[in-house]
Each structure stands twice: as structure tokens, then as C-alpha cells.
Amino acid sequence: MKLQRNNRLRAIAAGALAVSGVLVLTACGSDDNSGSSSGGGGTKTDASNIKCEGKGQLLASGSSAQKNAMDLWVKNYGAACKDVKLNYKATGSGAGIQEWLQGKTAFAGSDSALKPEEVASSKKMCKGGQGINLPMVGGPIAVGFNVPGVDKLTLDAKTLAEIFDSKITNWNDDAIKKLNKGVNLPNLKIQAFHRSDDSGTTDNFTKYLKAAAPSAWPHEPGKAWEGKGGQAADGSAGVSSQVKQVSGAISYFELSYATASSIKTVDLNTGASAPVQATVDNASKAISEAKIKGTGKDLALDLAYDTKAEGAYPITLVTYEIACDKGNNSDTLAATKSFLTYVASEDGQASLKELGYAPLPAEIATKVRESVASLS
């Protein structure tokens, strides 16, 4: 039964990526792995529950971690709302925020909340208002690996920090052996890959390393990679592709990329009674511990990266859609609210789990819908 379910998840995620490939070809100004536009095929939704508003082209960009979810949302919304053509480009969180701050897009996708200086900059563009964070996608950041002969691997935060900071450089290192007794670890160089672009996934991954292994990770968390050594690739698609192809590779990316490419993922020794797998349900346990730290209509979350709760997978991200609370572009406001209302709805969130994402906890989803409804 478990094997059948895993195969089903891989097939669904692979199908989403296949749909994504078609969407990329039709998206204006996009390149491989960087865009989506309204198209056909994929998960069904009840179109009667989507309230269409506005018309014309709706541009958005940012997080590549939410790309597979966005592809499905755009497809479903486009099937119901023929007058709106939405183009989401997975440029990475940092680039997405910058394009939005420059007024080039209606909203941005980011795997981390706006920084204070970004909020300040947003006030120039949001006439009479400012940028707010609307959590929309949750899920685990998987640590994928490609070690010949090794099907199951357990690591802890300290060991991960030392691997990604080039302090542990071989797969048969004693620290890895200690966590994997009975596993035949090869004498093979570790090929650690990180994101080359400014990435909210990097921000969340390094927040985990800093929170759970502060003595082993001396760098400050952030969208830009600060660790020593390693190799870089662009986007979640880029780093996951390297892990798939390169013997000895390890990297971090959103779970659906691992599922779609059949990449093995690390189990985490968090201090709980048993190592924790990177699954949607285990990530949901960690996300459910998050606290809202934003004020007013801003719903930025404080995630529990150092949790030791049983079965809670701590390397999680929540992707935000970022828009103005007041002062949104009047030409795209109606379509923006219509689309975000759909993705925050029960229908929109229900499609996430089979792609390897965690639907928002009910209490948070309710607040998101209220904030979206108030956008002006």
C-alpha cells in the first residue's frame, strides 16, 4: 500500500511538472523552469466555486518552491476565468520581491516574509499602504542525496551544517557513520549544492541550521548563500537536477522536486525518539506550531525550526504571496483579489497535499481570506 501511494504521488508530481513544461512554452517572456500561464490538464477543481473578477494580463513572479502549486492554481483559475491571463515566473523569491517593488508585477511569491527595509520600500509603491505577507503554501524542504548503494540516510542539524560549510567532505566521515550504524557508506567525496540565486528556500534552510545547530553554523540566515565552498545552481529545479545527476551530491529543495524525480531524502535526527522523514504530514506538525508575528492584515509567521516534537519535520517553509494592503494597481486589483481568494479557498488548498505541499492550518487560512478580501 505504501509503495502504491508513493508511486501515485510521484506520478501526480511528475504530471504537474509535465504540465509546467507545457505552460512554460506558452508563457510570455519566460524560459525553461521559469514561467506558467493559463493552460489545460491536471487536477480538477469545482469551477463554480471560483468567482472571476477583472480582465487582461496578471503578472506575478518569485518563489520557485511554490511553482508546482502555482502551475495548478493558474491552470484551474484560467479554465474558469477566461478573461484573465495569469503569468507566474519562478524567478526566485529575491528577484520576485524586487520586481514587485518596482511595480512590474501585481504580487510576488516569497519563501520568507518581507524584511523591514523591503516594507519601507513598498510604501513608495503602495500608495497609502504597504506590503503585507499572505501565507499561502506550506511544506517541507527536503534534503535530497545521491549516494550510490545508500537508500536510507539519517543526519542531524550539526552534521548538515558541517556538510554545507565544507567541514565534512566525505560520505564515510565518522560523524555520518555514527548516525547511520549498519549503513555501508562509501569513500566518496560529498558534492554539496546550494542556490546561486537569492532564495527564500535558502533563507528557511539556513534559519533551521542556525536555530538547531548554532555552534556549527556561524553564518547569518538569509536569501543569499553564506556557507563556505560547495557548488551553486539556479532555482529549485537547478539544484535538484544536480542531485539527480551527480554521484555524491546533496542539496535542499521543496519536497515535490524530490518526489517528481525520485530523489532519496534525508531523515532528520531532531532529538525526538525516532528520526523524522520529510513528509507533508510531518511538516504540517511543525507548521501547526507557528505563531503569527505580523500585525494587522500582515500574517508573517514565526516557524519552529528547532522543534523536537515527535514526528515534526522542522525544515519547513511557508511561501507568502506579497501584495499591498492599500494602494494596489487599480488595473489588476480585481483579478488579484479573485485569484488569491481562490488559492486561499478550501478548493485551492485541497489540491496541495498530493503535490507534496502542506495546506494551511484552518485558523491561518481563515485569516488569509479575510486579509485578501480587504485588499484595496
Side-chain angles (χ1 to χ4, degrees):
M1 182 66 71
K2 183 175 181 182
L3 179 59
Q4 290 176 340
R5 181 176 182 273
N6 287 343
N7 288 338
R8 178 168 172 267
L9 291 180
R10 291 192 184 101
I12 291 170
L17 288 174
V19 170
S20 168
V22 175
L23 297 175
V24 167
L25 295 177
T26 61
C28 176
S30 60
D31 55 23
D32 290 348
N33 301 317
S34 68
S36 64
S37 182
S38 301
T43 301
K44 293 181 179 179
T45 189
D46 185 353
S48 65
N49 292 333
I50 298 177
K51 184 178 180 181
C52 300
E53 299 283 354
K55 60 177 59 178
Q57 192 168 49
L58 189 63
L59 302 179
S61 65
S63 165
S64 63
Q66 72 171 9
K67 183 183 187 306
N68 297 335
M70 190 62 73
D71 284 343
L72 286 177
W73 283 336
V74 168
K75 171 193 59 61
N76 291 340
Y77 183 80
C81 304
K82 304 295 186 182
D83 290 336
V84 177
K85 300 299 180 185
L86 197 155
N87 180 5
Y88 180 83
K89 296 175 65 178
T91 56
S93 298
I97 289 174
Q98 289 307 308
E99 286 192 332
W100 177 74
L101 288 172
Q102 294 164 9
K104 296 179 179 179
T105 54
F107 65 91
S110 177
D111 305 335
S112 53
L114 290 170
K115 296 177 180 178
E117 59 268 29
E118 292 169 336
V119 174
S121 295
S122 73
K123 294 178 181 179
K124 302 173 185 177
M125 193 259 297
C126 302
K127 304 303 182 184
Q130 65 181 45
I132 58 172
N133 304 281
L134 302 170
M136 208 68 76
V137 178
I141 298 172
V143 179
F145 67 95
N146 179 353
V147 182
V150 178
D151 293 324
K152 192 172 182 61
L153 183 70
T154 298
L155 298 173
D156 58 14
K158 181 177 184 295
T159 306
L160 275 172
E162 293 181 346
I163 286 173
F164 280 93
D165 208 26
S166 299
K167 296 171 184 172
I168 293 177
T169 58
N170 199 290
W171 280 111
N172 67 354
D173 189 276
D174 288 343
I176 302 177
K177 286 182 177 179
K178 185 176 180 181
L179 292 165
N180 295 273
K181 294 179 180 178
V183 177
N184 185 20
L185 293 162
N187 180 14
L188 177 68
K189 182 180 178 181
I190 294 174
Q191 307 284 349
F193 286 89
H194 57 265
R195 291 279 289 271
S196 60
D197 53 319
D198 281 3
S199 161
T201 309
T202 294
D203 191 23
N204 284 275
F205 181 63
T206 53
K207 281 178 179 174
Y208 159 73
L209 295 178
K210 191 67 173 179
S215 61
W217 189 255
H219 315 287
E220 287 303 311
K223 294 185 180 74
W225 184 256
E226 298 290 344
K228 295 180 180 178
Q231 302 174 66
D234 186 63
S236 296
V239 290
S240 61
S241 177
Q242 291 298 320
V243 172
K244 183 71 174 178
Q245 298 172 17
V246 177
S247 179
I250 186 171
S251 190
Y252 56 92
F253 35 82
E254 192 275 323
L255 179 62
S256 68
Y257 288 87
T259 305
S261 298
S262 300
I263 296 172
K264 301 179 184 70
T265 61
V266 169
D267 295 345
L268 292 180
N269 181 336
T270 64
S273 62
V276 184
Q277 293 182 323
T279 68
V280 171
D281 289 339
N282 290 345
S284 293
K285 291 177 184 177
I287 293 172
S288 67
E289 298 181 23
K291 307 296 182 185
I292 295 176
K293 63 180 180 181
T295 57
K297 299 300 181 181
D298 182 80
L299 300 175
L301 301 176
D302 189 7
L303 297 173
Y305 296 103
D306 58 350
T307 180
K308 294 180 175 60
E310 294 297 324
Y313 183 84
I315 316 181
T316 59
L317 62 78
V318 171
T319 289
Y320 301 93
E321 311 312 329
I322 294 170
C324 302
D325 56 357
K326 299 177 182 178
N328 288 281
N329 187 323
S330 59
D331 292 337
T332 56
L333 175 60
T336 297
K337 291 179 68 173
S338 172
F339 177 71
L340 295 182
T341 295
Y342 158 60
V343 301
S345 70
E346 290 184 8
D347 278 356
Q349 291 291 305
S351 62
L352 293 179
K353 191 170 182 179
E354 290 186 327
L355 286 180
Y357 297 103
L360 295 173
E363 181 180 352
I364 294 175
T366 298
K367 292 182 181 297
V368 170
R369 292 167 199 149
E370 292 172 354
S371 286
V372 170
S374 72
L375 297 180
S376 63

